């Protein structure tokens, strides 16, 4: 018969517990191998990089990305919040409990921070990009840093 509600698998777990077990094992495997998340989209990479110095709220992330890219990337709030949900579901970021002084904060803001997995994935993606830049320099598609 099927493995429906209340059924018990051969390992002795109910369907719900088995599903939870599989999700936990997948997350654990991902922690062991951040490269399984690669390549990040450019927007995901920029958002994770914005959070590398510490927690930020959504508008703070938008400003950080725009400032760091000299306005080349202008995140819209709908795009950002969809991306934040995806990054949070993947375990790369989490909503932070750390907040600024109440006089300097709006209680409606949600602050986000990198998880250890998120930092490892960001590092892996930046190493991937660094290798691509090195190869582009080797092939003389890009000049060495510091040359005009």
């Amino acid at each position: 018969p099927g493995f429906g509600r209340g059924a018990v698998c051969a390992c002795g777990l109910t369907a719900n517990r088995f599903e939870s077990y599989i999700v936990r094992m997948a997350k654990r495997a991902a922690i062991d191998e951040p490269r399984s998340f690669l390549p990040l989209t450019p927007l995901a990479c920029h958002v994770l990089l914005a959070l590398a110095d510490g927690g930020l709220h959504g508008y703070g992330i938008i400003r950080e990305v725009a400032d760091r890219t000299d306005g080349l990337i202008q995140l819209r709030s709908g795009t950002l919040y969809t991306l934040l949900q995806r990054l949070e579901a993947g375990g790369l970021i989490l909503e932070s409990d750390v907040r600024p002084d109440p006089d300097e904060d709006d209680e409606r803001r949600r602050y986000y921070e990198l998880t250890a997995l998120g930092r490892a994935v960001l590092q892996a993606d930046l190493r991937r990009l660094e290798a691509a830049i090195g190869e582009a320099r080797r092939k003389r598609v890009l000049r060495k840093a510091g040359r005009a």
Side-chain angles (χ1 to χ4, degrees), residues 15 23 39 48 51 67 71 74 82-83 90 94 99 112 126 136-137 141:
V23 168
L48 293 177
L51 295 172
D67 290 350
Q74 296 285 332
T82 299
L83 179 56
L94 55 82
R99 301 189 68 87
Y112 299 91
L126 293 173
R137 287 190 174 126
V141 174

Side-chain angles (χ1 to χ4, degrees), residues 62-80:
I62 289 171
R63 283 195 337 243
E64 164 83 17
V65 170
D67 290 350
R68 195 180 52 254
T69 63
D70 291 325
L72 182 64
I73 297 177
Q74 296 285 332
L75 281 167
R76 297 191 184 269
S77 58
T79 302
L80 174 65

Side-chain angles (χ1 to χ4, degrees), residues 132-146:
I133 299 248
E135 187 63 13
R137 287 190 174 126
R138 188 185 71 74
K139 292 183 176 212
R140 298 187 179 153
V141 174
L142 290 176
R143 294 181 183 202
K144 299 264 184 211

Side-chain angles (χ1 to χ4, degrees), residues 18-35:
F18 183 72
E19 183 178 356
S20 295
Y21 172 78
I22 293 299
V23 168
R24 280 196 321 274
M25 291 300 104
K27 285 181 180 178
R28 188 171 295 154
I31 289 170
D32 292 339
E33 188 49 59
R35 290 174 38 161

Side-chain angles (χ1 to χ4, degrees), residues 42-124:
L43 292 181
C45 184
H46 280 286
V47 167
L48 293 177
L49 193 55
L51 295 172
D53 289 332
L56 288 172
H57 54 79
Y59 184 65
I61 294 169
I62 289 171
R63 283 195 337 243
E64 164 83 17
V65 170
D67 290 350
R68 195 180 52 254
T69 63
D70 291 325
L72 182 64
I73 297 177
Q74 296 285 332
L75 281 167
R76 297 191 184 269
S77 58
T79 302
L80 174 65
Y81 287 104
T82 299
L83 179 56
L84 289 173
Q85 287 175 344
R86 198 179 84 219
L87 294 172
E88 192 171 19
L92 303 182
I93 65 171
L94 55 82
E95 189 172 344
S96 176
D97 293 330
V98 178
R99 301 189 68 87
D101 183 39
D103 295 337
E104 300 173 10
D105 190 27
D106 181 338
E107 64 186 30
R108 296 171 296 179
R109 288 181 177 155
R110 294 176 63 185
Y111 286 79
Y112 299 91
E113 62 185 49
L114 278 178
T115 62
L117 174 60
R119 185 170 295 279
V121 169
L122 177 61
Q123 290 170 340

